[in-house]
């Protein structure tokens, strides 16, 4: 490296301003460029004289990965600099602070925790979808945009599924930040996105309790303990924590990645639907395990070299744990279609044993005016639909933890389904299409709109008409009837 | 510049045609052929003619050991290769044989070096099969990117600032950024006789603007070529090799 950063330095059209931050491995500078109007920062690694392998490789990895990332959850890259002159990365400047301050002020009110945790999980899932496992998630590495979107920074330890892993060759000891590092990362695995799920779990634990689940070990020996020693259950530290939230946190913190949430999206889903989390013994746990169980775990874990391998690629790993939305029409004339939909869902679940199913039904509300939420006999429409939806799903023969139910209200069922799919990171929508009718030919059907506008896979199920004439009659009747 | 890199065509007309079709679809500015246009395969004349035409249009071509063995017997060759080259030699038109003999052993294009085998003593045809075997190439050449063939198994090596050479995983069909803090050596997979267990024709695309290298594979009708190979009376082993890619 021939050039060193200083205020006023000009390089590749960028002019360095004030130094904003000086960390152990890099300095951050304010920069300007005549062609870019957005506020920008430049990160320059602090490379020691002579050969400073780990810092260089970490920065090489960032230079490789960051320009490939897109979307609001990552900083936009404006330029990278050559090692021959001065290595740097210029990105947009995210105005807010990192989450560190909020973590330090913890524990936070629980509603705030749920919201923040969901935003963190969403940002991590977006990263995973772009083939990157971060592997060093911690409060300092989340920045917040003014609109609340979280931005993940610092990719010096990350791994891109489709690029050479330069770090694997460089380090002989596990890498990461000790309070948040996952057990398999301690065992030197760098290809499991569930390691990020573990770090998320550790951070949510910290937000809830104000404590780190495994303390702040300073040695690798201290890190290793988490392979057998369980953290204090959050409810023991803060009694108002709901069983569901404890279930979510302890599941994310499972030692064996196979017992954790299989993706950040699944964790997000539970954070968004805490009332539908399937509670297990984790939810009820009141104290850390006693000597017996811990000793047995120690005996089992002390010789462990590796957990079972994750799927070969990240896309495969995400695909293996999809969230499937089934939009069920419960109107009486659609019984046959609902039945077919259930058969298709059941078939899909055989192929995707880690899938979760969100059963959704839409109550079509009037665009103008006040809706009646109770029928003439005083039955709450919402509750009635929920009961019917649960009854429909009974035929699916799926354990409750993998099934959730939602009744949506919207004047436009298509919009309701699309919005729900977007916010809950649904991977696949399964829905029925009614038969053919003249009205739909001109006005368009719900399913065709969902197929056209959804950002995930969509499967449309139809009932094959036994007799076209008969079908047309049955189909048109309810729609033309006066509402 | 987008540079298509082809190597070890070995008289396999169908594989070459399939690769050139893929090259056309991807769009490139220039083509480099890293040698061994002939040997093993049943259609050496067609392949040489095609590459000569490309060279007229600006393609860069270096000489491989099989091309070399048309004019000068190579006693270091194994029996199978020698049998095939003895079958090939009398078929080659004089003009083609002379052209093959005239090819250079290395070519440099900006900071890229083109060579058939190890850049260290290119006429000695050393296989770059490991990090250790790649080291001498980085030592003798100052090029930032060294492209070679000869092995028939694709590989990618990086040499960092301290001179350490590391083999990198190849994400097939995906661009690998050739980060500038390192120098790189790519062993490009064979067009006409892959040996990595994948019977598809290999080639690589180097994009110097984006500074990315993509290893690609293209399917072609291996059975048809194997049949022609058998009909020509070439050793059965060569036909089986094409079908299995080993």
């Amino acid at each position: 490296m021939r050039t060193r950063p200083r205020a006023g330095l000009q390089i590749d059209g960028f002019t360095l301003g004030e130094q904003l931050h000086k960390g152990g491995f890099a300095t951050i500078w304010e920069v300007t460029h005549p062609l870019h109007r957005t506020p920008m920062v430049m990160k320059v690694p602090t490379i020691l004289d002579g050969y400073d392998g780990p810092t260089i490789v970490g920065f090489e990895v960032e230079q490789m990965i960051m320009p490939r990332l897109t979307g609001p959850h990552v900083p936009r890259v404006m330029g990278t600099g050559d090692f021959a002159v001065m290595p740097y990365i210029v990105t947009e400047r995210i105005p807010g602070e990192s989450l560190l301050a909020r973590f330090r002020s913890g524990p936070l009110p629980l509603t705030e925790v749920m919201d923040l945790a969901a935003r963190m999980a969403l940002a991590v899932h977006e990263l995973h979808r772009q083939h990157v496992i971060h592997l060093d998630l911690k409060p300092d590495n989340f920045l917040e945009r003014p609109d609340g979107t979280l931005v993940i920074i610092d990719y010096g330890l990350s791994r891109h599924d489709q690029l050479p892993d330069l770090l694997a060759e460089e380090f002989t000891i596990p890498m990461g930040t000790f309070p948040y590092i996952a057990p398999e990362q301690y065992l030197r695995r760098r290809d499991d996105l569930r390691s990020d799920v573990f770090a998320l779990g550790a951070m949510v634990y910290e937000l809830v309790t104000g404590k780190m689940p495994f303390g702040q070990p300073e040695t690798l020996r201290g890190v290793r303990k988490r392979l057998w020693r369980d953290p204090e259950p959050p409810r023991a530290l803060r009694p108002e924590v709901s069983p569901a939230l404890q279930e979510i946190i302890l599941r994310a913190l499972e030692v064996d990645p196979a017992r954790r949430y299989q993706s950040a999206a699944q964790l997000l889903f539970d954070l968004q639907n805490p009332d539908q989390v399937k509670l297990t013994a984790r939810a009820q746990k009141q104290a850390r395990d006693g000597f017996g169980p811990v000793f047995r775990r120690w005996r089992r874990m002390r010789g462990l070299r590796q957990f079972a391998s994750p799927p070969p690629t990240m896309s495969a790993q995400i695909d293996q744990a999809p969230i499937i939305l089934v939009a069920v029409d419960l109107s009486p004339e659609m019984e046959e279609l609902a039945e077919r939909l259930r058969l298709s869902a059941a078939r899909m679940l055989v192929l995707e044993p880690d899938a979760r199913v969100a059963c959704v039904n839409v109550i079509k509300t009037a665009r103008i005016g006040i809706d009646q939420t109770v029928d003439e006999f005083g039955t709450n429409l919402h509750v009635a639909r929920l009961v019917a939806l649960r009854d429909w799903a009974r035929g699916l023969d799926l354990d409750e933890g993998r099934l959730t139910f939602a009744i949506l209200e919207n004047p436009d069922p298509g919009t309701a389904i699309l919005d729900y799919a977007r916010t809950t990171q649904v991977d696949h929508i399964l829905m029925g299409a009614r038969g053919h009718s003249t009205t739909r030919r001109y006005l368009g059907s719900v399913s065709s709109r969902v197929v056209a506008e959804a950002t995930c896979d969509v499967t449309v199920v139809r009932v094959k008409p036994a007799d076209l004439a008969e079908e047309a009659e049955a189909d048109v009747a309810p729609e033309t009837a006066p509402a | 510049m987008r540079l298509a890199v082809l190597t070890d065509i070995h008289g396999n007309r169908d594989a070459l045609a399939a690769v050139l079709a893929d090259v056309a679809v991807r769009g490139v500015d220039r083509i480099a052929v890293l040698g061994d246009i002939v040997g093993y395969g049943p259609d050496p004349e067609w392949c040489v003619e095609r590459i000569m035409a490309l060279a007229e249009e600006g393609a860069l071509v270096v000489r491989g050991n099989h091309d070399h063995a048309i004019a000068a017997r190579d006693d270091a060759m194994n029996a199978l290769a020698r049998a095939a080259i003895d079958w090939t030699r009398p078929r080659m038109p004089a003009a083609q044989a002379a052209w093959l003999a005239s090819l250079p052993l290395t070519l440099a294009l900006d900071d890229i070096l083109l060579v058939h085998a190890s850049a260290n003593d290119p006429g000695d045809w050393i296989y770059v099969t490991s990090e250790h075997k790649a080291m001498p190439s980085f030592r003798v050449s100052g090029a930032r990117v060294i492209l070679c063939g000869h092995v028939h198994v694709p590989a990618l090596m990086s040499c960092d600032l301290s001179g350490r050479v590391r083999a990198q995983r190849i994400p097939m069909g995906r661009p690998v950024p050739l980060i500038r803090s390192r120098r790189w050596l790519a062993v490009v997979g064979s067009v006409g006789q892959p040996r990595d267990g994948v019977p598809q024709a290999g080639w690589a695309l180097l994009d110097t603007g984006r500074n990315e290298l993509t290893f690609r594979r293209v399917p072609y009708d291996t059975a048809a070529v194997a049949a022609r190979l058998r009909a020509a009376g070439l050793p059965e082993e060569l036909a089986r090799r094409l079908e299995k890619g080993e």
Side-chain angles (χ1 to χ4, degrees):
Chain A
M1 185 164 79
R2 288 173 206 139
T3 310
R4 299 212 178 249
R6 60 183 154 76
L9 177 75
Q10 298 214 339
I11 185 162
D12 307 330
F14 294 103
T15 306
L16 275 72
E18 189 194 341
Q19 190 183 85
L20 300 172
H21 178 78
K22 187 172 162 63
F25 301 102
T27 47
I28 310 282
W29 302 76
E30 191 177 44
V31 286
T32 53
H33 190 287
L35 295 179
H36 300 290
R37 300 176 93 184
T38 4
M40 295 175 294
V41 290
M42 176 184 279
K43 178 175 176 178
V44 185
T46 310
I47 293 168
L48 307 173
D49 288 325
Y51 182 71
D52 184 9
T55 313
I56 292 175
V57 176
F59 204 73
E60 287 178 322
V61 168
E62 279 205 281
Q63 283 196 329
M64 260 196 335
I65 290 178
M66 288 189 69
R68 294 175 172 246
L69 299 174
T70 56
H73 302 282
V74 292
R76 196 151 60 91
V77 174
M78 271 72 176
T80 58
D82 212 312
F83 272 80
V85 186
M86 182 180 93
Y88 67 80
I89 299 175
V90 173
T91 62
E92 62 172 319
R93 181 175 182 178
I94 314 290
E97 289 283 302
S98 85
L99 291 184
L100 191 59
R102 292 189 64 189
F103 271 73
R104 290 219 169 118
S105 70
L108 297 186
L110 292 177
T111 45
E112 223 174 291
V113 170
M114 297 304 272
D115 165 66
L116 185 58
R119 284 187 286 138
M120 290 166 76
L122 175 64
V124 172
H125 182 58
E126 282 301 323
L127 210 56
H128 289 173
R129 290 214 320 199
Q130 297 185 51
H131 308 282
V132 173
I133 313 175
H134 191 279
L135 296 172
D136 194 19
L137 291 176
K138 54 181 168 186
D140 336 29
N141 285 342
F142 286 88
L143 302 182
E144 196 168 8
R145 289 188 195 273
D147 69 351
T149 308
L150 292 179
V151 180
I152 300 177
I153 57 163
D154 198 349
Y155 296 87
L157 292 186
S158 301
R159 182 188 152 110
H160 193 297
D161 200 26
Q162 297 172 344
L163 295 178
D165 186 16
L166 303 177
L167 283 160
E169 63 189 46
E170 191 65 31
F171 288 80
T172 45
I173 53 158
M175 299 164 283
T177 304
F178 287 177
Y180 308 104
I181 193 170
E184 68 277 11
Q185 246 176 303
Y186 168 81
L187 296 171
R188 293 173 211 185
R189 268 218 104 100
R190 292 184 36 81
D191 58 354
D192 197 331
L193 64 86
R194 295 170 297 189
S195 303
D196 284 350
V197 172
F198 185 92
L200 279 172
M203 285 186 281
V204 181
Y205 183 104
E206 192 180 343
L207 287 172
V208 168
T209 64
K211 288 184 170 176
M212 290 165 172
F214 307 99
Q216 297 197 56
E218 281 173 6
T219 60
L220 280 170
R221 269 177 77 96
V223 171
R224 186 159 174 247
K225 268 204 276 198
R226 71 193 59 178
L227 281 154
W228 55 83
R229 194 67 178 109
D230 53 327
E232 193 101 26
R235 294 178 68 200
L237 296 166
R238 191 171 174 187
E240 77 264 33
V241 171
S242 68
L245 182 52
Q246 172 156 315
E247 176 77 34
I248 293 173
I249 293 170
L250 294 186
R251 183 162 173 202
L253 285 176
E254 277 287 349
V255 175
D256 184 345
R259 293 178 48 107
R260 255 173 247 159
Y261 288 103
Q262 297 303 296
S263 70
Q266 293 206 342
L267 169 61
L268 172 64
F269 191 87
D270 274 5
L271 287 166
Q272 287 170 331
N273 302 282
D275 52 327
Q276 304 207 24
V277 171
K278 156 98 170 172
L279 303 179
T280 68
R282 292 183 201 112
Q284 306 307 336
K285 211 171 153 185
Q286 291 293 341
R288 298 169 89 183
D289 292 333
F291 177 78
V294 173
F295 180 71
R296 280 194 293 279
R297 276 204 298 269
W298 172 76
R299 289 224 324 216
R300 207 169 57 235
M301 292 293 187
R302 68 187 163 159
L304 186 74
R305 293 257 172 274
Q306 249 175 38
F307 293 101
S309 294
T313 64
M314 282 180 70
S315 329
Q317 203 173 352
I318 291 176
D319 288 349
Q320 208 172 63
I323 296 171
I324 301 171
L325 183 162
V326 189
V328 190
D329 189 339
L330 292 166
S331 39
E333 69 274 15
M334 288 299 139
E335 262 172 19
E336 200 186 344
L337 187 58
E339 176 62 32
R340 276 194 59 87
L341 206 54
R342 183 167 52 219
L343 285 173
S344 303
R347 227 175 281 137
M348 217 176 248
L349 287 168
V350 171
L351 297 172
E352 321 219 55
D354 281 323
R356 306 194 48 161
V357 178
C359 306
V360 169
N361 176 261
V362 187
I363 297 176
K364 200 170 163 183
T365 50
R367 273 174 211 281
I368 305 163
I370 300 158
D371 282 301
Q372 296 239 296
T373 53
V374 283
D375 69 7
E376 49 188 314
F377 306 108
T379 317
N380 184 312
L381 193 54
H382 212 103
V383 172
R385 288 282 183 97
L386 195 58
V387 169
L389 195 58
R390 282 183 182 276
D391 185 62
W392 173 85
R394 198 156 293 151
L396 273 184
D397 195 23
L398 194 67
D399 79 76
E400 282 265 309
R402 289 170 54 204
L403 261 181
T404 52
F405 302 95
I407 306 296
L408 313 174
E409 289 178 25
N410 201 302
D412 182 349
T415 305
I417 293 168
L418 287 165
D419 285 352
Y420 187 83
R422 211 170 297 126
T423 51
T424 49
Q425 300 291 312
V426 164
D427 300 285
H428 199 143
I429 298 172
L430 183 61
M431 64 187 303
R434 300 175 172 210
H436 302 278
S437 83
T438 324
T439 333
R440 263 190 300 282
R441 196 164 305 141
Y442 294 110
L443 295 179
S445 69
V446 175
S447 59
S448 64
R449 167 140 185 251
V450 171
V451 168
E453 293 181 27
T455 48
C456 61
D457 298 346
V458 182
T459 300
V460 177
V461 173
R462 265 182 210 283
V463 175
K464 283 200 193 100
D467 175 342
L468 275 175
E470 195 184 294
E471 181 262 350
E473 205 181 291
D475 188 42
V476 171
E479 283 211 342
T480 47
Chain B
M1 177 191 62
R2 286 164 67 82
L3 179 72
V5 188
L6 282 58
T7 186
D8 300 280
I9 297 159
H10 285 297
N12 187 333
R13 173 184 176 154
D14 298 46
L16 177 58
V19 166
L20 289 175
D22 194 34
V23 167
V25 172
R26 308 283 145 193
V28 301
D29 302 300
R30 209 148 183 198
I31 293 176
V33 180
L34 306 181
D36 278 5
I37 304 165
V38 301
Y40 299 132
D43 297 301
E45 313 96 302
W46 189 89
C47 292
V48 174
E49 190 187 322
R50 193 80 187 79
I51 300 301
M52 280 175 83
L54 290 172
E56 291 270 301
E57 297 161 18
L60 300 161
V61 189
V62 295
R63 194 189 335 150
N65 54 318
H66 288 253
D67 309 325
H68 183 78
I70 294 295
R73 285 190 76 92
D74 181 355
D75 294 328
M77 265 185 177
N78 65 43
L80 196 60
R82 201 171 321 137
I85 215 73
D86 287 343
W87 176 90
T88 307
R89 193 178 294 116
R91 303 170 61 97
M92 301 307 289
Q96 289 196 359
W99 180 76
L100 287 175
S102 75
L103 291 172
L105 286 175
T106 62
L107 276 174
L109 179 66
D110 303 325
D111 56 357
I112 305 164
L113 179 75
L114 308 174
V115 59
H116 179 64
S118 172
N120 166 49
D121 202 351
D124 217 8
W125 318 117
I126 300 161
Y127 290 92
V128 181
T129 48
S130 64
E131 293 167 351
H132 186 70
K133 292 266 182 73
M135 224 171 275
S137 292
F138 285 114
R139 257 189 229 134
V140 298
S141 165
R144 201 177 70 81
V145 181
I146 302 169
L147 299 169
C148 68
H150 194 45
V151 186
H152 297 217
V153 177
L156 181 64
M157 310 278 179
S158 75
C159 177
D160 66 19
L161 296 168
S162 69
R164 239 180 346 166
V165 176
R166 295 289 189 184
Q168 302 294 345
R169 193 172 57 111
I170 298 174
M172 199 50 74
R174 310 259 182 207
V176 180
L178 302 180
I179 45 175
R180 292 187 186 275
S181 50
R182 300 188 178 198
R183 295 195 297 139
W184 297 84
L185 181 148
V187 182
V188 178
S190 166
V191 171
Q193 197 201 61
R195 293 179 195 165
D196 57 351
V198 181
Q200 300 173 337
W203 68 285
L205 175 61
L206 176 68
D207 188 325
T208 57
R210 302 175 65 98
N211 194 29
E212 287 174 345
L213 179 70
T214 312
F215 287 83
R216 297 193 54 82
R217 296 312 276 265
V218 191
Y220 71 95
D221 190 350
T222 48
V225 181
R228 278 213 302 287
L229 223 147
R230 289 185 179 108
L234 280 153
E236 170 64 21
E237 221 175 317
L238 293 173
R240 268 206 303 275
R241 196 167 216 182
L242 283 190
E243 288 168 334
K244 292 188 177 165
E246 56 194 28

